Amino acid sequence: YTGEDGVEVIMHGDDAPAFFEQLKANGVKPAGLGARDTLRMDGPEVFKKVVPLIRKIIPRAVAKAGWKLEDLRRLFLHQANDRIPEAAVKKVPCLTRAWSTIERYANTTSASLLLGYWDAIKNEALRDGDRCAFVAFGGGITWGTALFTHWGI
């Protein structure tokens, strides 16, 4: 199915028919691709929405935790590509680069958070007491942020 914003999704599984019926009830129209129901991601539009969102939610989460942005040592982002993390951290003064594993493992979707954390530990890029953030986003621009303090493993 394709929404008014041009987003299309492909979904398989037992719940797919009910899911697409709910989409239709909410005004999402069939894509006209035959028997397969589809929705397609518009990458440039996702980029335009996600980058400002990340720039907004990191300072908000840090403030809510009672931390300062300068306290944040490492940022682990969902990595669909390298462009989103690089653009997102440009306006976060304490971060010059989000930890990235995409060049070695490609797009690992939400696993990129824990894979990046493990990679940073393995490469001794974290010290006890380092404050870190996980930031994930997904379909429909759902998002979540978790702040934590790293202690040796």
Side-chain angles (χ1 to χ4, degrees), residues 28-50:
V28 179
K29 298 175 182 61
L33 297 177
R36 180 171 283 171
D37 293 317
T38 65
L39 289 171
R40 184 181 350 216
M41 182 183 71
D42 180 350
E45 193 60 31
V46 170
F47 181 90
K48 283 190 240 176
K49 289 182 177 169
V50 166

Side-chain angles (χ1 to χ4, degrees), residues 16-31:
F19 175 77
F20 285 108
E21 287 306 314
Q22 185 63 42
L23 287 176
K24 278 197 276 187
N26 288 318
V28 179
K29 298 175 182 61

Side-chain angles (χ1 to χ4, degrees), residues 44-132:
E45 193 60 31
V46 170
F47 181 90
K48 283 190 240 176
K49 289 182 177 169
V50 166
V51 169
L53 175 67
I54 293 168
R55 289 177 181 166
K56 183 169 116 181
I57 63 177
I58 293 170
R60 185 189 311 165
V62 167
K64 195 167 189 173
W67 297 358
K68 298 176 187 157
L69 272 175
E70 300 78 39
D71 295 337
L72 199 57
R73 171 125 166 93
R74 291 280 178 220
L75 176 64
F76 301 95
L77 286 167
H78 166 99
Q79 298 173 39
N81 58 52
D82 248 351
R83 290 178 21 253
I84 291 173
E86 286 175 8
V89 299
K90 280 184 181 175
K91 302 241 173 147
V92 181
C94 60
L95 300 168
T96 56
R97 187 161 167 29
W99 192 264
S100 178
T101 58
I102 200 160
E103 67 281 352
R104 291 184 302 277
Y105 304 112
N107 181 355
T108 56
T109 64
S110 61
S112 58
L113 299 173
L114 289 175
L115 183 60
Y117 182 50
W118 170 82
D119 192 60
I121 292 168
K122 183 179 81 169
N123 286 289
E124 300 179 359
L126 290 170
R127 298 183 306 265
D128 285 353
D130 281 350
R131 291 182 170 180
C132 306

